[in-house]
Amino acid sequence: MNAKMFRALLPIAILFTLVSCSTEDSTEDVSALKVDNFSYNETELDMMSRINDYRTSVGLNALEPINHISFKSEEHNDYMITNDVVGHYFFESRSNNIKQVLGAVRVSENLAYNYNTNNAALNAWLNSEGHKENIEGDYTHFGISIKTNPENGRKYYTNIFMKR
């Protein structure tokens, strides 16, 4: 009986050995996951400029945009528009991706919804303690996406900050 069971289980054991992999022995090339191309619209360029103008006006460094971060911001805006929600849903996933792909040591995020102008959205962030802390934070890079829901015309803003 043991010999029959051994012969039955042997092919499964061999197959498992052939297709299994060890995380310790495998190295994933995360640079292949990096998004290098992102097309900014005028509204996004304007908001990045406004954020940097504010930062430099209070003695902070200007932030460098990274297309990958803007792509992750756009993915989140698409999610919020598709699901008709506003919130930091799956932020940990975005943050982990940015840490892994770009080598970030710190990541934060600001959202805004239904502001008609960049000035109004930025003022709302600056009048909110947590959002202002992100804008004034010890960061080196950022990305942004501003999208309009085609069904209702409302704007969604996702701004992600990163420090390497």
Side-chain angles (χ1 to χ4, degrees):
M1 185 81 149
N2 284 340
K4 285 183 182 179
M5 186 180 292
F6 177 74
R7 280 183 283 201
L9 294 176
L10 183 60
I12 294 170
I14 292 171
L15 181 63
F16 180 77
T17 303
L18 293 174
V19 298
S20 68
C21 62
S22 168
T23 57
E24 295 167 2
D25 294 335
S26 65
T27 55
E28 183 179 347
D29 182 14
V30 294
S31 65
L33 305 174
K34 183 179 175 191
V35 176
D36 289 319
N37 296 320
F38 187 84
S39 296
Y40 294 94
N41 62 43
E42 287 182 36
T43 306
E44 292 161 338
L45 294 171
D46 176 70
M47 182 60 100
M48 288 190 298
S49 179
R50 287 174 186 271
I51 290 168
N52 274 334
D53 288 349
Y54 173 79
R55 284 180 60 89
T56 58
S57 77
V58 295
L60 299 169
N61 61 298
L63 302 173
E64 294 180 43
I66 293 182
N67 292 342
H68 183 79
I69 300 173
S70 295
F71 176 78
K72 299 311 283 183
S73 298
E74 183 176 67
E75 281 184 331
H76 187 57
N77 278 344
D78 290 340
Y79 172 84
M80 290 190 296
I81 290 169
T82 299
N83 294 284
D84 195 25
V85 295
V86 177
H88 297 279
Y89 302 98
F90 310 108
F91 171 70
E92 187 174 340
S93 176
R94 285 186 296 287
S95 176
N96 288 340
N97 173 272
I98 290 167
K99 288 175 180 177
Q100 183 180 27
V101 173
L102 300 174
V105 295
R106 182 176 35 257
V107 179
S108 69
E109 176 177 85
N110 282 352
L111 303 178
Y113 167 72
N114 201 26
Y115 289 93
N116 291 325
T117 67
N118 284 349
N119 194 48
L122 181 58
N123 284 336
W125 284 337
L126 294 174
N127 287 315
S128 163
E129 184 178 333
H131 294 99
K132 185 176 181 176
E133 284 177 12
N134 288 341
I135 291 172
E136 293 181 352
D138 182 21
Y139 296 106
T140 54
H141 298 83
F142 70 155
I144 194 157
S145 171
I146 302 170
K147 291 193 85 170
T148 302
N149 182 332
E151 292 182 13
N152 60 23
R154 294 184 177 146
K155 289 184 181 178
Y156 290 74
Y157 299 74
T158 298
N159 181 204
I160 300 176
F161 303 90
M162 174 193 102
K163 178 175 178 143
R164 267 194 240 207

